[in-house]
Amino acid sequence: MTDNIFQIRDLFVDVPNLTKKPLIGKTPNLSILRDISFNIVRGDILGIVGASGSGKSTLGRAIIRLLEPSSGEIYFEGFNITHLSEAELRPLRKKIQMIFQDPMSSLNPRHRIKSIIGGPLKLHGFQNVGRLVTEALEHVGLPDYFKSRYPHELSGGQRQRVGIARAIALKPDFILADEIVSGLDVSSQALVLSLLQSLVKELGLTLVFISHDLSVVRRLCNKVIVLQNGHIVEKATA
């Protein structure tokens, strides 16, 4: 029996269409995702690709319940999380982490790296936070003294590695990476991709990697889903 960490069934996501907001009455909805169904197998690196506006990021955020779907069902480790409240989702958040596209906007510029990585650990009740921050930095190839630095003191590739360290520090089962190398130069992209590959093997992670760059997806992922206009048009191996 296949070990599916996520199961997505008949997923629809609609948002208010503000470009057609009437003077009187209800704002019509705009359909972003329609009839999406697939499984994410534990240990896989799944790429989600498509042109701009195809619904890639919306799908990623819906999977991890940063967006609530209009209809359909999402199962995480066999448990239906589709309509859980934020309070009910909180115990699951440490198992499901996200790495954001722009580390400069996702890392608080007023906080040192030790607070950026350590804050979520304290929130989820971890002990020995300082040691765990050091371990997370070691995993992503950054020295311990980086704990005292601010995000603006790091390069783009280093900031993205801090974002990865923040995600893995909580010892999650699943990570969503949304266009995380699109703003990096080629050498930094290569370092981040190699790092992700090694972390998936070393830590037993499952990774969904959202990108518009097919060459990057081919290098990193073992399975691919292609989106077009809110529909899945292809599922295949990389």
Side-chain angles (χ1 to χ4, degrees):
M1 183 177 177
T2 302
D3 185 9
N4 295 317
I5 191 169
F6 268 101
Q7 294 170 288
I8 292 86
R9 296 288 176 266
D10 307 317
L11 189 73
F12 286 75
V13 175
D14 300 325
V15 297
N17 188 351
L18 300 180
T19 63
K20 296 184 178 180
K21 186 174 182 179
L23 295 175
I24 300 174
K26 187 177 179 180
T27 303
N29 282 335
L30 177 65
S31 183
I32 304 298
L33 297 174
R34 287 163 284 179
D35 198 20
I36 301 289
S37 296
F38 64 97
N39 298 329
I40 303 173
V41 179
R42 190 180 300 275
D44 273 353
I45 304 179
L46 172 66
I48 299 179
V49 301
S52 296
S54 60
K56 305 186 298 298
S57 293
T58 300
L59 176 57
R61 283 163 170 75
I63 291 171
I64 65 174
R65 277 299 321 278
L66 292 181
L67 288 174
E68 184 165 359
S70 305
S71 63
E73 294 181 321
I74 303 167
Y75 292 86
F76 174 68
E77 296 183 334
F79 185 60
N80 193 332
I81 66 170
T82 315
H83 300 296
L84 295 184
S85 67
E86 189 53 44
E88 291 169 324
L89 283 168
R90 193 167 295 123
L92 298 176
R93 288 298 184 198
K94 65 182 179 181
K95 292 186 173 185
I96 305 171
Q97 286 295 298
M98 181 170 181
I99 308 167
F100 295 90
Q101 177 177 1
D102 181 9
M104 201 58 198
S105 62
S106 64
L107 304 180
N108 191 324
R110 297 182 179 181
H111 288 184
R112 297 181 189 272
I113 301 306
K114 61 183 178 182
S115 298
I116 289 171
I117 300 174
L121 289 166
K122 292 177 182 178
L123 183 65
H124 287 283
F126 282 81
Q127 304 297 316
N128 301 315
V129 170
R131 177 177 57 81
L132 293 176
V133 171
T134 298
E135 288 179 359
L137 288 173
E138 288 176 353
H139 275 304
V140 300
L142 294 177
D144 187 52
Y145 63 79
F146 270 52
K147 290 193 294 188
S148 62
R149 294 189 174 182
Y150 290 94
H152 72 268
E153 297 177 299
L154 310 182
S155 69
Q158 289 170 340
R159 285 194 292 267
Q160 196 56 278
R161 281 191 275 171
V162 169
I164 296 171
R166 178 173 59 182
I168 66 170
L170 291 165
K171 306 185 185 305
D173 297 322
F174 175 87
I175 289 180
L176 172 70
D178 187 5
E179 297 273 15
I180 66 168
V181 297
S182 61
L184 303 179
D185 59 55
V186 175
S187 60
S188 296
Q189 281 189 11
L191 286 172
V192 169
L193 294 175
S194 296
L195 175 62
L196 287 175
Q197 283 179 314
S198 64
L199 289 175
V200 167
K201 293 178 182 179
E202 182 181 346
L203 304 178
L205 299 170
T206 304
L207 177 68
V208 166
F209 186 83
I210 296 172
S211 180
H212 64 276
D213 190 332
L214 294 178
S215 63
V216 169
V217 169
R218 182 181 182 185
R219 172 180 171 178
L220 178 67
C221 304
N222 62 305
K223 295 179 182 176
V224 182
I225 285 175
V226 183
L227 283 183
Q228 183 177 359
N229 297 326
H231 289 285
I232 292 179
V233 295
E234 189 173 2
K235 302 175 187 175
T237 62

